[in-house]
Amino acid sequence: NMSDVEILSSKKRKLSPAKSDEGGPSSSALHHDNDSSSPSSSTQHATASSPNNTTPNNKLPPRPPNTYDNIRRAIVINDGTRTNLIRLIGLKSLFARQLPKMPKEYIARLVFDRRHKSLAILSSDPEKKECDDEIIGGICYRAYPEMRFAEIAFCAVSASQQVKGYGTKLMNLLKMHAVTEGIEFFITYADNYAIGYFKKQGFTKAVSMPKGRYQGLIKDYDGGTIMECYVHPTIDFTRVPEMIQAQKEFLLQRIRAGTAKSDKVVYPPLPPDFYAGQDVKSRAEKGAAERALAIPGVSEAGWTMADLMASTRDAKDSDKKKHQLKSDLLALVSKVQDQQYSWCFRDPVDTNEVKDYLDVVDDPIDLKTMEKRIRRGDWYKTKHMLFSDMMKMVNNCKLYNGEGNTYYDCAVSLEKYLASISPMFTE
Protein backbone atom coordinates (compact mmCIF):
# COMPACT_ATOMS: atom_id res chain seq x y z
CA ASN A 1 0.00 0.00 0.00
CA MET A 2 0.99 3.64 -0.28
CA SER A 3 2.18 3.89 3.30
CA ASP A 4 4.67 1.09 2.68
CA VAL A 5 5.97 2.84 -0.43
CA GLU A 6 6.34 6.10 1.44
CA ILE A 7 8.25 4.36 4.21
CA LEU A 8 10.55 2.65 1.70
CA SER A 9 11.10 5.92 -0.17
CA SER A 10 12.16 7.68 3.02
CA LYS A 11 14.82 5.14 3.85
CA LYS A 12 18.34 5.06 2.47
CA ARG A 13 20.42 1.98 1.94
CA LYS A 14 24.18 1.98 2.13
CA LEU A 15 25.88 0.84 -1.04
CA SER A 16 28.21 -2.08 -0.46
CA PRO A 17 31.46 -2.24 -2.47
CA ALA A 18 31.93 -5.09 -4.90
CA LYS A 19 34.88 -6.39 -6.83
CA SER A 20 35.41 -5.34 -10.43
CA ASP A 21 37.56 -6.19 -13.38
CA GLU A 22 38.51 -4.28 -16.50
CA GLY A 23 37.41 -7.03 -18.82
CA GLY A 24 34.07 -7.78 -17.19
CA PRO A 25 32.23 -5.83 -14.53
CA SER A 26 31.27 -7.19 -11.20
CA SER A 27 29.42 -4.13 -10.12
CA SER A 28 26.32 -3.27 -8.20
CA ALA A 29 23.86 -0.52 -8.90
CA LEU A 30 21.53 0.20 -6.01
CA HIS A 31 17.89 -0.08 -6.92
CA HIS A 32 14.40 1.09 -6.11
CA ASP A 33 11.46 -0.93 -4.82
CA ASN A 34 8.39 1.00 -5.93
CA ASP A 35 5.06 -0.10 -7.37
CA SER A 36 4.66 2.26 -10.31
CA SER A 37 5.26 -0.02 -13.31
CA SER A 38 3.13 -2.73 -14.84
CA PRO A 39 4.59 -6.25 -15.07
CA SER A 40 6.07 -7.61 -18.23
CA SER A 41 4.40 -10.56 -19.89
CA SER A 42 6.68 -11.85 -22.63
CA THR A 43 10.21 -13.08 -23.17
CA GLN A 44 12.18 -11.36 -25.90
CA HIS A 45 15.57 -12.11 -27.41
CA ALA A 46 17.85 -9.14 -27.87
CA THR A 47 19.16 -8.97 -31.41
CA ALA A 48 21.86 -6.74 -32.74
CA SER A 49 21.04 -5.06 -36.02
CA SER A 50 22.67 -6.65 -39.04
CA PRO A 51 22.94 -4.13 -41.84
CA ASN A 52 24.03 -5.23 -45.28
CA ASN A 53 27.68 -6.01 -45.66
CA THR A 54 28.00 -3.81 -48.74
CA THR A 55 27.97 -0.05 -48.95
CA PRO A 56 26.78 2.32 -51.70
CA ASN A 57 30.39 3.48 -52.15
CA ASN A 58 32.14 0.75 -54.11
CA LYS A 59 35.52 2.10 -53.04
CA LEU A 60 34.91 0.99 -49.46
CA PRO A 61 35.39 -2.68 -48.59
CA PRO A 62 32.37 -4.67 -47.44
CA ARG A 63 31.84 -4.73 -43.70
CA PRO A 64 32.74 -7.96 -41.92
CA PRO A 65 30.04 -10.02 -40.22
CA ASN A 66 28.87 -8.71 -36.88
CA THR A 67 30.67 -10.63 -34.13
CA TYR A 68 27.68 -10.08 -31.85
CA ASP A 69 25.56 -12.35 -34.06
CA ASN A 70 27.34 -15.38 -32.59
CA ILE A 71 26.58 -14.43 -28.98
CA ARG A 72 23.72 -16.31 -27.34
CA ARG A 73 21.66 -13.91 -25.27
CA ALA A 74 18.13 -13.52 -24.01
CA ILE A 75 15.88 -11.07 -22.21
CA VAL A 76 14.76 -12.98 -19.13
CA ILE A 77 11.64 -12.13 -17.14
CA ASN A 78 9.61 -13.87 -14.49
CA ASP A 79 6.76 -15.13 -16.64
CA GLY A 80 6.51 -18.52 -14.92
CA THR A 81 8.02 -20.55 -17.77
CA ARG A 82 10.51 -23.29 -16.90
CA THR A 83 13.33 -21.92 -19.06
CA ASN A 84 13.09 -18.41 -17.66
CA LEU A 85 12.84 -19.56 -14.06
CA ILE A 86 16.01 -21.63 -14.47
CA ARG A 87 17.81 -18.66 -16.02
CA LEU A 88 16.58 -16.33 -13.27
CA ILE A 89 17.99 -18.71 -10.67
CA GLY A 90 21.28 -18.67 -12.57
CA LEU A 91 21.29 -14.87 -12.66
CA LYS A 92 20.51 -14.70 -8.95
CA SER A 93 23.41 -17.06 -8.22
CA LEU A 94 25.75 -15.05 -10.46
CA PHE A 95 24.91 -11.72 -8.80
CA ALA A 96 25.20 -13.28 -5.34
CA ARG A 97 28.67 -14.70 -6.12
CA GLN A 98 30.04 -11.57 -7.80
CA LEU A 99 28.41 -9.11 -5.40
CA PRO A 100 29.09 -10.72 -2.01
CA LYS A 101 28.34 -7.54 -0.05
CA MET A 102 24.80 -7.30 -1.40
CA PRO A 103 22.13 -9.10 0.66
CA LYS A 104 21.06 -12.28 -1.13
CA GLU A 105 17.42 -11.69 -0.24
CA TYR A 106 17.57 -8.25 -1.87
CA ILE A 107 19.12 -9.69 -5.03
CA ALA A 108 16.50 -12.45 -5.23
CA ARG A 109 13.64 -9.99 -4.69
CA LEU A 110 14.71 -7.75 -7.55
CA VAL A 111 15.72 -10.48 -10.01
CA PHE A 112 12.41 -12.32 -9.58
CA ASP A 113 10.32 -9.15 -9.49
CA ARG A 114 8.00 -9.16 -12.52
CA ARG A 115 8.67 -5.46 -13.10
CA HIS A 116 12.35 -6.18 -13.70
CA LYS A 117 14.03 -7.65 -16.73
CA SER A 118 17.49 -9.14 -17.15
CA LEU A 119 19.69 -9.38 -20.21
CA ALA A 120 21.76 -12.56 -20.02
CA ILE A 121 24.66 -13.73 -22.17
CA LEU A 122 24.44 -17.51 -22.40
CA SER A 123 27.07 -20.16 -22.89
CA SER A 124 27.01 -22.02 -26.21
CA ASP A 125 28.13 -25.25 -24.51
CA PRO A 126 25.17 -27.65 -24.69
CA GLU A 127 26.35 -29.42 -21.53
CA LYS A 128 25.77 -26.22 -19.54
CA LYS A 129 22.24 -25.70 -20.80
CA GLU A 130 19.61 -25.17 -18.09
CA CYS A 131 22.12 -24.87 -15.25
CA ASP A 132 23.82 -22.01 -13.40
CA ASP A 133 26.95 -22.23 -15.56
CA GLU A 134 24.92 -21.36 -18.64
CA ILE A 135 24.89 -17.70 -17.51
CA ILE A 136 28.12 -15.96 -18.55
CA GLY A 137 26.99 -12.47 -17.53
CA GLY A 138 23.87 -10.45 -16.92
CA ILE A 139 22.36 -7.04 -16.28
CA CYS A 140 19.18 -6.64 -14.25
CA TYR A 141 17.20 -3.47 -14.91
CA ARG A 142 13.80 -1.89 -14.56
CA ALA A 143 12.28 0.25 -17.30
CA TYR A 144 9.94 3.21 -16.86
CA PRO A 145 8.33 3.46 -20.31
CA GLU A 146 6.34 6.61 -19.48
CA MET A 147 9.52 8.47 -18.52
CA ARG A 148 11.65 6.82 -21.24
CA PHE A 149 14.45 5.70 -18.92
CA ALA A 150 15.57 2.54 -17.16
CA GLU A 151 17.48 1.97 -13.94
CA ILE A 152 20.20 -0.66 -13.80
CA ALA A 153 20.15 -2.67 -10.60
CA PHE A 154 22.91 -5.28 -11.00
CA CYS A 155 25.62 -5.93 -13.55
CA ALA A 156 28.08 -8.83 -13.34
CA VAL A 157 30.17 -11.26 -15.38
CA SER A 158 31.14 -14.73 -14.19
CA ALA A 159 34.60 -14.89 -12.63
CA SER A 160 35.71 -17.56 -15.13
CA GLN A 161 34.81 -15.27 -18.05
CA GLN A 162 36.51 -12.08 -16.89
CA VAL A 163 38.86 -10.05 -19.14
CA LYS A 164 37.19 -11.33 -22.30
CA GLY A 165 35.20 -8.22 -23.13
CA TYR A 166 31.85 -9.58 -21.97
CA GLY A 167 31.23 -6.50 -19.82
CA THR A 168 31.28 -4.24 -22.90
CA LYS A 169 29.28 -6.74 -24.95
CA LEU A 170 26.62 -6.90 -22.25
CA MET A 171 26.16 -3.14 -22.15
CA ASN A 172 26.16 -2.75 -25.94
CA LEU A 173 23.51 -5.44 -26.32
CA LEU A 174 21.43 -3.82 -23.59
CA LYS A 175 21.62 -0.46 -25.37
CA MET A 176 20.48 -2.05 -28.63
CA HIS A 177 17.55 -3.68 -26.85
CA ALA A 178 16.72 -0.45 -24.99
CA VAL A 179 16.01 1.31 -28.29
CA THR A 180 13.25 -1.23 -29.01
CA GLU A 181 11.64 -0.32 -25.67
CA GLY A 182 11.84 3.43 -26.31
CA ILE A 183 14.42 3.98 -23.57
CA GLU A 184 16.43 7.20 -23.93
CA PHE A 185 18.51 7.08 -20.74
CA PHE A 186 20.03 4.55 -18.39
CA ILE A 187 20.56 5.66 -14.83
CA THR A 188 22.28 3.82 -11.99
CA TYR A 189 23.89 4.24 -8.61
CA ALA A 190 27.43 2.88 -8.84
CA ASP A 191 29.92 2.15 -6.07
CA ASN A 192 33.59 3.13 -6.30
CA TYR A 193 34.52 -0.20 -7.87
CA ALA A 194 31.95 0.18 -10.66
CA ILE A 195 32.47 3.83 -11.67
CA GLY A 196 35.41 3.01 -13.95
CA TYR A 197 33.46 0.33 -15.79
CA PHE A 198 30.41 2.52 -16.32
CA LYS A 199 32.58 5.39 -17.59
CA LYS A 200 34.01 3.10 -20.25
CA GLN A 201 30.48 2.22 -21.32
CA GLY A 202 29.50 5.86 -21.91
CA PHE A 203 28.07 6.72 -18.49
CA THR A 204 28.77 10.09 -16.92
CA LYS A 205 28.36 11.63 -13.49
CA ALA A 206 26.80 14.74 -15.07
CA VAL A 207 23.10 13.84 -15.21
CA SER A 208 21.44 15.76 -18.05
CA MET A 209 18.04 14.07 -17.75
CA PRO A 210 15.58 16.44 -16.03
CA LYS A 211 15.23 15.49 -12.39
CA GLY A 212 11.46 15.46 -12.72
CA ARG A 213 11.64 12.35 -14.89
CA TYR A 214 13.27 10.13 -12.28
CA GLN A 215 12.63 11.88 -8.98
CA GLY A 216 10.31 9.79 -6.81
CA LEU A 217 10.89 6.66 -8.91
CA ILE A 218 14.39 5.92 -7.67
CA LYS A 219 15.88 6.60 -4.27
CA ASP A 220 19.13 8.27 -3.22
CA TYR A 221 21.75 6.08 -1.59
CA ASP A 222 24.64 6.81 0.74
CA GLY A 223 28.02 5.83 -0.69
CA GLY A 224 26.81 5.61 -4.29
CA THR A 225 27.42 7.84 -7.29
CA ILE A 226 24.53 8.48 -9.63
CA MET A 227 25.52 8.00 -13.29
CA GLU A 228 23.66 8.39 -16.56
CA CYS A 229 24.03 7.19 -20.14
CA TYR A 230 22.15 8.57 -23.14
CA VAL A 231 21.13 5.85 -25.62
CA HIS A 232 21.26 7.28 -29.13
CA PRO A 233 18.49 5.64 -31.17
CA THR A 234 20.41 5.52 -34.48
CA ILE A 235 23.78 4.20 -33.33
CA ASP A 236 24.59 0.53 -33.82
CA PHE A 237 26.43 -0.04 -30.56
CA THR A 238 27.58 -3.48 -31.70
CA ARG A 239 29.65 -1.89 -34.48
CA VAL A 240 31.23 1.11 -32.75
CA PRO A 241 34.85 0.10 -33.54
CA GLU A 242 33.92 -0.34 -37.20
CA MET A 243 32.17 3.03 -37.25
CA ILE A 244 35.23 4.78 -35.83
CA GLN A 245 37.52 3.01 -38.29
CA ALA A 246 35.26 3.98 -41.21
CA GLN A 247 35.26 7.62 -40.09
CA LYS A 248 39.04 7.55 -39.82
CA GLU A 249 39.39 6.09 -43.32
CA PHE A 250 37.00 8.67 -44.73
CA LEU A 251 38.98 11.55 -43.24
CA LEU A 252 42.26 10.11 -44.48
CA GLN A 253 40.83 9.73 -47.99
CA ARG A 254 39.67 13.34 -47.98
CA ILE A 255 43.07 14.51 -46.77
CA ARG A 256 44.87 12.46 -49.42
CA ALA A 257 42.52 13.69 -52.14
CA GLY A 258 43.04 17.31 -51.14
CA THR A 259 46.82 17.05 -50.97
CA ALA A 260 47.43 14.67 -53.86
CA LYS A 261 49.04 17.39 -55.96
CA SER A 262 50.05 20.16 -53.57
CA ASP A 263 52.12 17.93 -51.28
CA LYS A 264 54.51 17.11 -54.12
CA VAL A 265 55.25 20.71 -55.09
CA VAL A 266 58.42 22.26 -53.65
CA TYR A 267 58.32 26.06 -53.36
CA PRO A 268 61.45 28.22 -53.24
CA PRO A 269 62.41 29.98 -49.97
CA LEU A 270 60.77 33.32 -49.27
CA PRO A 271 62.78 36.25 -50.63
CA PRO A 272 64.23 38.71 -48.10
CA ASP A 273 61.82 41.43 -49.18
CA PHE A 274 58.73 39.19 -49.07
CA TYR A 275 57.14 41.12 -46.21
CA ALA A 276 58.12 44.53 -47.57
CA GLY A 277 55.22 46.92 -47.27
CA GLN A 278 53.30 44.63 -44.89
CA ASP A 279 52.53 45.46 -41.28
CA VAL A 280 54.39 42.53 -39.77
CA LYS A 281 53.95 43.85 -36.21
CA SER A 282 50.17 43.80 -36.37
CA ARG A 283 48.57 41.15 -34.20
CA ALA A 284 45.14 41.70 -35.66
CA GLU A 285 43.40 38.47 -36.51
CA LYS A 286 42.84 39.34 -40.18
CA GLY A 287 46.34 40.75 -40.69
CA ALA A 288 48.04 37.61 -39.42
CA ALA A 289 45.85 35.42 -41.61
CA GLU A 290 46.54 37.55 -44.72
CA ARG A 291 50.30 37.31 -44.18
CA ALA A 292 50.12 33.56 -43.82
CA LEU A 293 47.89 33.18 -46.89
CA ALA A 294 50.37 35.17 -48.98
CA ILE A 295 53.04 32.51 -48.50
CA PRO A 296 53.32 30.38 -51.67
CA GLY A 297 51.80 26.93 -51.22
CA VAL A 298 49.49 27.80 -48.32
CA SER A 299 46.37 28.40 -50.39
CA GLU A 300 47.35 25.56 -52.75
CA ALA A 301 47.35 23.21 -49.78
CA GLY A 302 43.70 24.04 -49.18
CA TRP A 303 43.97 26.69 -46.49
CA THR A 304 41.42 29.49 -46.59
CA MET A 305 41.17 32.83 -44.85
CA ALA A 306 38.50 31.38 -42.53
CA ASP A 307 40.77 28.46 -41.59
CA LEU A 308 43.66 30.73 -40.76
CA MET A 309 41.54 33.17 -38.80
CA ALA A 310 40.07 30.31 -36.82
CA SER A 311 43.57 29.24 -35.81
CA THR A 312 44.52 32.60 -34.34
CA ARG A 313 44.52 33.39 -30.64
CA ASP A 314 41.58 35.77 -30.95
CA ALA A 315 39.49 33.03 -32.52
CA LYS A 316 40.42 30.67 -29.71
CA ASP A 317 39.40 33.27 -27.14
CA SER A 318 36.09 33.65 -28.94
CA ASP A 319 35.55 29.89 -28.81
CA LYS A 320 36.20 29.93 -25.07
CA LYS A 321 33.58 32.63 -24.60
CA LYS A 322 31.06 30.65 -26.66
CA HIS A 323 31.76 27.53 -24.63
CA GLN A 324 31.32 29.44 -21.38
CA LEU A 325 28.05 30.95 -22.60
CA LYS A 326 26.81 27.51 -23.60
CA SER A 327 27.63 26.11 -20.15
CA ASP A 328 25.91 29.04 -18.42
CA LEU A 329 22.78 28.71 -20.57
CA LEU A 330 22.51 24.96 -19.96
CA ALA A 331 22.87 25.57 -16.23
CA LEU A 332 20.03 28.13 -16.32
CA VAL A 333 17.73 25.75 -18.22
CA SER A 334 18.55 22.95 -15.78
CA LYS A 335 17.78 25.27 -12.87
CA VAL A 336 14.34 26.03 -14.29
CA GLN A 337 13.68 22.33 -15.09
CA ASP A 338 14.31 21.43 -11.46
CA GLN A 339 11.39 23.56 -10.26
CA GLN A 340 8.32 21.51 -9.38
CA TYR A 341 5.98 23.77 -11.36
CA SER A 342 8.03 23.48 -14.56
CA TRP A 343 6.73 19.99 -15.37
CA CYS A 344 4.32 21.25 -18.03
CA PHE A 345 7.05 23.24 -19.81
CA ARG A 346 9.66 20.50 -20.16
CA ASP A 347 8.43 19.08 -23.48
CA PRO A 348 6.72 20.57 -26.55
CA VAL A 349 2.93 20.68 -26.60
CA ASP A 350 1.62 17.68 -28.54
CA THR A 351 -0.40 19.37 -31.28
CA ASN A 352 -1.91 16.01 -32.25
CA GLU A 353 -3.72 16.02 -28.93
CA VAL A 354 -4.17 19.78 -28.55
CA LYS A 355 -5.29 20.43 -32.11
CA ASP A 356 -6.15 24.12 -31.72
CA TYR A 357 -2.92 25.07 -29.95
CA LEU A 358 -1.25 26.56 -33.02
CA ASP A 359 -4.39 28.56 -33.76
CA VAL A 360 -3.83 30.47 -30.52
CA VAL A 361 -0.04 30.33 -30.10
CA ASP A 362 1.97 31.58 -33.07
CA ASP A 363 5.46 30.80 -31.76
CA PRO A 364 5.48 27.77 -29.41
CA ILE A 365 8.53 27.21 -27.22
CA ASP A 366 9.47 24.83 -24.39
CA LEU A 367 12.47 23.93 -22.23
CA LYS A 368 13.46 20.92 -24.33
CA THR A 369 13.56 23.03 -27.48
CA MET A 370 15.66 25.65 -25.68
CA GLU A 371 18.11 22.97 -24.58
CA LYS A 372 18.43 21.71 -28.15
CA ARG A 373 19.08 25.23 -29.40
CA ILE A 374 21.78 25.74 -26.78
CA ARG A 375 23.53 22.48 -27.60
CA ARG A 376 23.48 23.37 -31.28
CA GLY A 377 25.48 26.41 -30.25
CA ASP A 378 24.38 28.99 -32.80
CA TRP A 379 21.00 30.21 -31.58
CA TYR A 380 21.44 32.17 -28.36
CA LYS A 381 24.05 34.92 -28.53
CA THR A 382 23.31 36.25 -25.03
CA LYS A 383 21.65 35.11 -21.81
CA HIS A 384 18.97 37.73 -22.32
CA MET A 385 17.84 35.94 -25.49
CA LEU A 386 17.24 32.81 -23.41
CA PHE A 387 15.34 34.84 -20.82
CA SER A 388 13.12 36.24 -23.60
CA ASP A 389 12.27 32.72 -24.78
CA MET A 390 11.39 31.67 -21.24
CA MET A 391 9.07 34.62 -20.81
CA LYS A 392 7.52 33.82 -24.19
CA MET A 393 6.92 30.27 -22.95
CA VAL A 394 5.18 31.61 -19.84
CA ASN A 395 3.03 34.03 -21.84
CA ASN A 396 2.07 31.32 -24.36
CA CYS A 397 0.82 29.15 -21.51
CA LYS A 398 -1.20 31.96 -19.94
CA LEU A 399 -2.63 32.95 -23.33
CA TYR A 400 -3.87 29.49 -24.26
CA ASN A 401 -5.13 28.27 -20.88
CA GLY A 402 -6.58 31.35 -19.17
CA GLU A 403 -7.02 31.95 -15.47
CA GLY A 404 -8.38 29.31 -13.12
CA ASN A 405 -6.39 26.55 -14.79
CA THR A 406 -3.59 24.37 -13.36
CA TYR A 407 -1.33 25.21 -16.30
CA TYR A 408 -1.99 28.91 -15.81
CA ASP A 409 -1.04 28.63 -12.14
CA CYS A 410 2.22 26.90 -13.10
CA ALA A 411 2.95 29.72 -15.54
CA VAL A 412 2.39 32.32 -12.84
CA SER A 413 4.70 30.47 -10.43
CA LEU A 414 7.39 30.14 -13.10
CA GLU A 415 7.05 33.83 -13.97
CA LYS A 416 7.70 34.76 -10.33
CA TYR A 417 10.69 32.43 -10.20
CA LEU A 418 12.18 33.91 -13.38
CA ALA A 419 11.78 37.37 -11.91
CA SER A 420 13.68 36.27 -8.80
CA ILE A 421 16.65 34.94 -10.82
CA SER A 422 16.56 37.59 -13.55
CA PRO A 423 19.98 39.00 -12.49
CA MET A 424 21.48 35.69 -13.59
CA PHE A 425 20.40 36.44 -17.16
CA THR A 426 22.30 39.71 -17.34
CA GLU A 427 25.58 39.93 -19.21
Side-chain angles (χ1 to χ4, degrees), residues 2-280:
M2 288 304 296
S3 60
D4 293 331
V5 174
E6 291 168 357
I7 292 172
L8 285 171
S9 299
S10 65
K11 292 181 178 179
K12 290 188 176 181
R13 301 179 187 272
K14 290 190 176 179
L15 185 62
S16 302
K19 297 180 181 178
S20 179
D21 190 282
E22 289 183 2
S26 183
S27 58
S28 66
L30 287 183
H31 206 259
H32 48 72
D33 196 25
N34 291 346
D35 294 314
S36 59
S37 177
S38 59
S40 231
S41 61
S42 63
T43 303
Q44 300 176 358
H45 289 274
T47 57
S49 62
S50 302
N52 295 332
N53 289 332
T54 58
T55 61
N57 188 347
N58 293 328
K59 295 181 180 179
L60 296 176
R63 290 195 297 180
N66 195 330
T67 57
Y68 282 75
D69 291 342
N70 299 322
I71 298 176
R72 287 188 65 223
R73 69 271 193 180
I75 296 294
V76 188
I77 59 174
N78 187 0
D79 60 355
T81 61
R82 182 177 184 274
T83 299
N84 276 351
L85 288 175
I86 291 174
R87 289 174 177 171
L88 287 174
I89 292 173
L91 285 163
K92 175 188 71 69
S93 300
L94 170 67
F95 295 141
R97 286 195 308 269
Q98 298 303 114
L99 310 173
K101 300 292 184 179
M102 295 295 294
K104 293 182 179 180
E105 296 81 4
Y106 181 67
I107 293 174
R109 180 153 51 90
L110 266 61
V111 170
F112 283 93
D113 182 15
R114 293 180 183 271
R115 297 163 299 183
H116 289 73
K117 298 180 182 179
S118 294
L119 170 66
I121 290 183
L122 309 173
S123 173
S124 57
D125 187 350
E127 295 183 359
K128 296 181 178 179
K129 191 174 182 180
E130 295 190 350
C131 67
D132 286 0
D133 292 338
E134 183 183 21
I135 307 296
I136 293 176
I139 296 179
C140 179
Y141 71 98
R142 178 177 175 180
Y144 292 91
E146 302 85 359
M147 296 301 176
R148 303 191 300 281
F149 83 92
E151 185 184 10
I152 294 176
F154 309 116
C155 176
V157 170
S158 175
S160 63
Q161 302 295 332
Q162 297 280 345
V163 203
K164 295 183 180 180
Y166 281 117
T168 297
K169 291 181 174 68
L170 260 175
M171 191 60 69
N172 287 341
L173 290 171
L174 182 62
K175 291 175 182 176
M176 294 297 293
H177 178 74
V179 174
T180 66
E181 293 191 18
I183 293 172
E184 290 183 348
F185 292 93
F186 278 115
I187 197 165
T188 187
Y189 269 91
D191 59 27
N192 292 333
Y193 293 91
I195 290 176
Y197 164 74
F198 281 113
K199 278 186 176 180
K200 291 179 181 178
Q201 308 310 318
F203 283 71
T204 175
K205 296 179 183 179
V207 179
S208 60
M209 182 170 57
K211 189 178 292 185
R213 283 174 64 172
Y214 64 87
Q215 196 171 30
L217 298 177
I218 65 174
K219 297 188 292 293
D220 296 327
Y221 296 91
D222 292 333
T225 301
I226 188 169
M227 302 186 75
E228 172 201 89
C229 178
Y230 173 67
V231 182
H232 199 288
T234 63
I235 291 180
D236 186 346
F237 293 97
T238 65
R239 290 188 181 270
V240 171
E242 295 173 33
M243 290 166 52
I244 295 174
Q245 182 63 30
Q247 291 170 352
K248 179 181 177 181
E249 290 297 328
F250 173 78
L251 291 174
L252 290 175
Q253 287 179 11
R254 293 295 298 269
I255 292 172
R256 295 188 190 106
T259 60
K261 297 179 180 178
S262 62
D263 64 342
K264 295 179 177 60
V265 178
V266 178
Y267 293 90
L270 297 179
D273 59 345
F274 179 77
Y275 286 112
Q278 297 188 42
D279 183 10
V280 296

Side-chain angles (χ1 to χ4, degrees), residues 107 155 178 194 199 201-202 208 219 295 307-308 366 381 413 420:
I107 293 174
C155 176
K199 278 186 176 180
Q201 308 310 318
S208 60
K219 297 188 292 293
I295 298 174
D307 294 332
L308 294 168
D366 59 274
K381 309 299 181 184
S413 298
S420 68

Side-chain angles (χ1 to χ4, degrees), residues 327-372:
S327 299
D328 292 343
L329 294 178
L330 286 173
L332 287 168
V333 171
S334 178
K335 201 174 187 68
V336 173
Q337 287 175 333
D338 287 343
Q339 305 308 308
Q340 61 181 2
Y341 38 75
S342 69
W343 60 270
C344 56
F345 301 104
R346 289 170 185 155
D347 294 294
V349 174
D350 188 348
T351 54
N352 292 324
E353 295 183 3
V354 189
K355 299 185 182 299
D356 64 338
Y357 186 76
L358 295 179
D359 296 335
V360 180
V361 177
D362 296 329
D363 189 10
I365 188 66
D366 59 274
L367 293 173
K368 188 173 185 178
T369 300
M370 293 181 206
E371 185 175 349
K372 287 181 179 179

